[in-house]
Amino acid sequence: MYSKIVTTLFSAAVLACISLPNAQAQSETIQDMTGSNACLQSANFPAPFGESDLKGNAKLPAYCDCYMSKFEARRIKAAQAMQANTDTQANLDKAAKKKKRAEAYAEQLAMRNSCRQQLGLPPAADASK
């Protein structure tokens, strides 16, 4: 249960960081946690969350670029679905919301492992198990 909560929070944090505008008025701290920088920072998260197994790996920046491009495409698709008012969280019952979270986690894990495979890195740990 704890791992699912942390994974969901990590996903929400990454989504929020990607969605931040890049205005010059933002502090360096916020700018450092946007886009692939958020992924790079996730190497400092405790295992099995984030990318702690890739800390210090020379392929981490390339992995983060790959993952964040996939994450951005997924974010845009989700935003378009929300604009079309289809399948919004507000319209789902508790069981459907739980299923949606599990599906989102599975999608993100698949994106992570796809990028890892492209770069010859080991599969990501599944924090939901």
Side-chain angles (χ1 to χ4, degrees):
M1 176 70 175
Y2 175 74
S3 64
K4 289 181 182 179
I5 291 170
V6 172
T7 302
T8 301
L9 290 175
F10 170 70
S11 299
V14 170
L15 182 59
C17 289
I18 292 172
S19 300
L20 291 173
N22 288 324
Q24 284 189 342
Q26 291 177 334
S27 72
E28 286 297 317
T29 304
I30 292 174
Q31 288 179 354
D32 287 346
M33 287 301 293
T34 60
S36 63
N37 284 336
C39 177
L40 293 170
Q41 292 292 328
S42 74
N44 295 320
F45 292 4
F49 312 105
E51 311 303 339
S52 61
D53 62 317
L54 300 180
K55 187 173 185 172
N57 190 311
K59 294 182 181 180
L60 178 61
Y63 164 79
C64 287
D65 289 341
C66 175
Y67 176 73
M68 294 312 290
S69 68
K70 290 178 185 289
F71 194 92
E72 177 67 8
R74 184 174 170 271
R75 184 195 65 80
I76 290 169
K77 183 179 174 185
Q80 290 170 341
M82 288 172 61
Q83 286 176 341
N85 198 26
T86 60
D87 203 22
T88 61
Q89 287 286 323
N91 297 331
L92 300 174
D93 63 18
K94 192 173 184 176
K97 286 180 183 180
K98 185 175 181 179
K99 182 180 177 190
K100 260 319 220 190
R101 282 191 301 269
E103 288 171 355
Y105 177 77
E107 287 175 12
Q108 292 170 14
L109 184 60
M111 292 185 309
R112 290 171 67 200
N113 283 328
S114 171
C115 290
R116 284 170 173 254
Q117 185 177 26
Q118 286 176 23
L119 295 166
L121 296 167
D126 187 347
S128 69
K129 295 184 178 180

